[in-house]
Amino acid sequence: MTDLFVFSEELAWTSAMLLAWLAGEFVHRWTRLPRISVYGLVGFLLAQATPDLLVPDGSSQVTLLANIAFGLILFEFGYRINLRWLRVNPWIAISGLAESALTFGAVYAIAAWQGMPPLTALLLASLAMSSSPAGVLRVINEERSSGQVTERVLHLVAINCVLALFVFKVVVGFWVFQTSGSLTQAVSHSLIELLASAVLGAVAGMLTPALLRGLGTLARDGTVAFAMVVILLVSITQAADLSPMLATLTFGLMARHRRVTFTRTQRNFGAIGELLTVLLFVFAVCTLDWQRVVAGASLGLLLLMVRFATKTVAVAAFAHVSGISWRKGALIGVALSPMSVFAILLLEQTRYMGIVLVDELAALAAMTLFMEVLGPIITQRALVLARETAKEEG
C-alpha cells in the first residue's frame, strides 16, 4: 500500500505540472497574461481537489526540487544585480531601504491593531517587506523587458528580499529564544546562519569562475557548471540548516562581479529551468489550505492594499532625486507586487527547526494566493505602461 501511495503521489505531481503548463500556454496565447499566474491558480485548485497527494512534505523530494528551482532563479537574479550602479546612484538603495521599512511598519501596525500577537505580527511584517524574485524575473524574461524601470525593479527586489530575510531570521531567533530559553540557540538560527550562508555562496562564486577559466570551458560549459553548483549549494544549506536563498543569491552576485558572461540564450537555464519553474509555482500554492485562505481573506486584502500603497508611495517619493520621473517611480513601486514564492519557501524552511508558523498566519495564506495570481499580472502591466516590454512580432 505504501508503494502504491508513493506512486500515486508522484503521478499526481507529474499530472499537476503537465496540466498547469498546458493551461499556462493556452491562456498566455489567448490573453498574453503571465504563464506563472496560471500555474499558481491551477496548482491551487488541484491541491484542494487532491489534498492527500499534492500537499508537500518538508523532507520530500518535491520540496528539494522546488528549492533547487528557486535557487536557479536566485542565481540568475543575483547575476542581474550591479552593485557599482548602487554606489554611483545611492538614492536607489535609499529608496529600497525606505520602502522596505515603511512597508514593515505599516503592516505591523495593522496586524497589531487587528489583535495579532506581537511576534506573529513581526513575522508577517517581515514577509510583507519582500517581493518575489521568481515572479518578477519570470515576468521580465517572458516580456523581454529592459530599461530604467526594469533594472530598478530588479535591484529593489534584491534589497527588500535581503532585508526581509534578515528581519525574518532575527524574529524567528527571538521566537526560538522565547520557547527554548536559550539565547545561544536563538542567535545560531539567525545572524550566524545568514553569515555562513553568504560566505558559502561567495566562496562558490569565486571558485567556480576560476575553475572554469582554468579548464578553458567558460563559454561552453558555464551554464551547466553554474546549475550544478546551485544544486550543490541548495543540498548543503538544507542539510546544514542554512539559507539556500541567501547562498544562491550571493553566488549569482559574486559570479557577475567575477566578469563571467551569462548570455541571453542561457536565461532560465533552458528547458530544465522552464520545467522546474512550473514545479516551483505549483508547489508554492500547494502548501495553502482553502479554509486558511478564507479565514485570513479580509485581513489579507487589507494588508495587501497597505503594502501596495506603501511601496508605491515610498519609491515614487525618491524618484526625482534618483534621476527618474514620479510616474516611473510609481510604476516601479507597483511592479514590486509579487511576494508569494519567497514567503512560502522561507516559511517552509522553518519546519526544519521544528517551528510551524503557517497555521499562525492565515492572513499570509490569503495574501500569498492573491499575489500568486495577481502579482505577476500587476508587474506585467507596470512594465507595459513603462513601455519597456518587447513588441510582439507579426
Side-chain angles (χ1 to χ4, degrees):
M1 288 296 292
T2 302
D3 292 340
L4 181 61
F5 179 79
V6 172
F7 174 76
S8 300
E9 184 180 18
E10 292 176 350
L11 183 61
W13 276 102
T14 305
S15 301
M17 290 171 60
L18 178 59
L19 288 173
W21 177 77
L22 287 172
E25 290 300 316
F26 281 122
V27 173
H28 178 72
R29 292 185 183 188
W30 290 339
T31 66
R32 308 309 301 170
L33 293 176
R35 294 176 176 89
I36 56 176
S37 293
V38 184
Y39 298 161
L41 183 59
V42 172
F44 180 74
L45 294 176
L46 291 175
Q48 305 314 304
T50 58
D52 294 332
L53 296 177
L54 284 180
V55 175
D57 187 299
S59 59
S60 69
Q61 293 301 313
V62 176
T63 303
L64 176 60
L65 287 174
N67 277 296
I68 290 173
F70 197 44
L72 292 174
I73 291 173
L74 284 174
F75 168 82
E76 184 179 349
F77 195 89
Y79 183 84
R80 298 283 297 268
I81 304 304
N82 187 352
L83 294 179
R84 188 173 295 105
W85 190 31
L86 297 180
R87 290 197 296 270
V88 171
N89 189 350
W91 286 108
I92 298 174
I94 292 171
S95 65
L97 293 171
E99 64 92 357
S100 296
L102 184 60
T103 301
F104 178 86
V107 171
Y108 176 79
I110 296 295
W113 174 59
Q114 291 291 317
M116 192 173 287
L119 276 178
T120 305
L122 286 171
L123 286 171
L124 185 59
S126 66
L127 292 172
M129 291 167 63
S130 69
S131 298
S132 174
V136 169
L137 186 61
R138 178 70 189 199
V139 170
I140 287 174
N141 284 346
E142 193 171 88
E143 297 296 320
R144 291 178 292 165
S145 177
S146 63
Q148 275 278 345
V149 171
T150 301
E151 292 304 315
R152 289 179 185 237
V153 167
L154 286 170
H155 285 72
L156 290 180
V157 169
I159 290 170
N160 61 37
C161 282
V162 170
L163 291 174
L165 181 61
F166 174 78
V167 176
F168 180 84
K169 292 295 184 181
V170 170
V171 176
V172 169
F174 278 110
W175 191 298
V176 173
F177 173 66
Q178 189 180 61
T179 56
S180 68
S182 172
L183 183 60
T184 302
Q185 184 181 1
V187 172
S188 67
H189 285 299
S190 53
L191 302 180
I192 296 177
E193 175 187 345
L194 294 176
L195 179 61
S197 302
V199 169
L200 187 62
V203 170
M206 290 186 290
L207 293 182
T208 305
L211 178 61
L212 289 174
R213 286 195 179 93
L215 295 174
T217 60
L218 188 58
R220 185 175 71 252
D221 299 330
T223 303
V224 175
F226 291 141
M228 292 178 66
V229 175
V230 166
I231 294 172
L232 180 62
L233 281 176
V234 171
S235 301
I236 292 174
T237 50
Q238 284 201 180
D241 289 336
L242 299 176
S243 172
M245 296 181 183
L246 187 57
T248 51
L249 181 64
T250 306
F251 176 37
L253 188 65
M254 186 62 67
R256 176 196 174 101
H257 289 82
R258 300 295 289 182
R259 299 295 190 272
V260 177
T261 302
F262 194 62
T263 65
R264 181 169 293 277
T265 57
Q266 295 167 313
R267 296 281 169 87
N268 297 323
F269 285 90
I272 295 299
E274 296 286 342
L275 176 64
L276 289 175
T277 297
V278 178
L279 171 66
L280 175 63
F281 283 90
V282 171
F283 171 90
V285 291
C286 286
T287 61
L288 305 178
D289 177 73
W290 174 251
Q291 294 180 340
R292 192 179 297 122
V293 170
V294 173
S298 58
L299 178 58
L301 281 172
L302 175 61
L303 293 176
L304 281 178
M305 289 188 291
V306 170
R307 176 180 178 271
F308 183 86
T310 53
K311 285 185 176 293
T312 303
V313 170
V315 178
F318 287 90
H320 265 305
V321 293
S322 65
I324 57 174
S325 66
W326 283 328
R327 179 179 179 274
K328 286 192 174 182
L331 289 174
I332 292 169
V334 169
L336 298 176
S337 295
M339 64 168 285
S340 56
V341 172
F342 182 88
I344 287 297
L345 290 183
L346 200 56
L347 282 176
E348 282 295 308
Q349 289 171 17
T350 61
R351 293 180 185 272
Y352 306 143
M353 300 161 53
I355 303 174
V356 181
L357 301 173
V358 177
D359 295 333
E360 311 241 357
L361 298 173
L364 180 66
M367 294 170 70
T368 298
L369 180 60
F370 295 146
M371 285 297 101
E372 176 80 4
V373 178
L374 297 178
I377 299 174
I378 295 173
T379 298
Q380 182 196 52
R381 292 295 93 193
L383 294 175
V384 169
L385 290 173
R387 298 180 180 178
E388 294 191 359
T389 57
K391 293 182 178 179
E392 295 297 329
E393 297 182 0

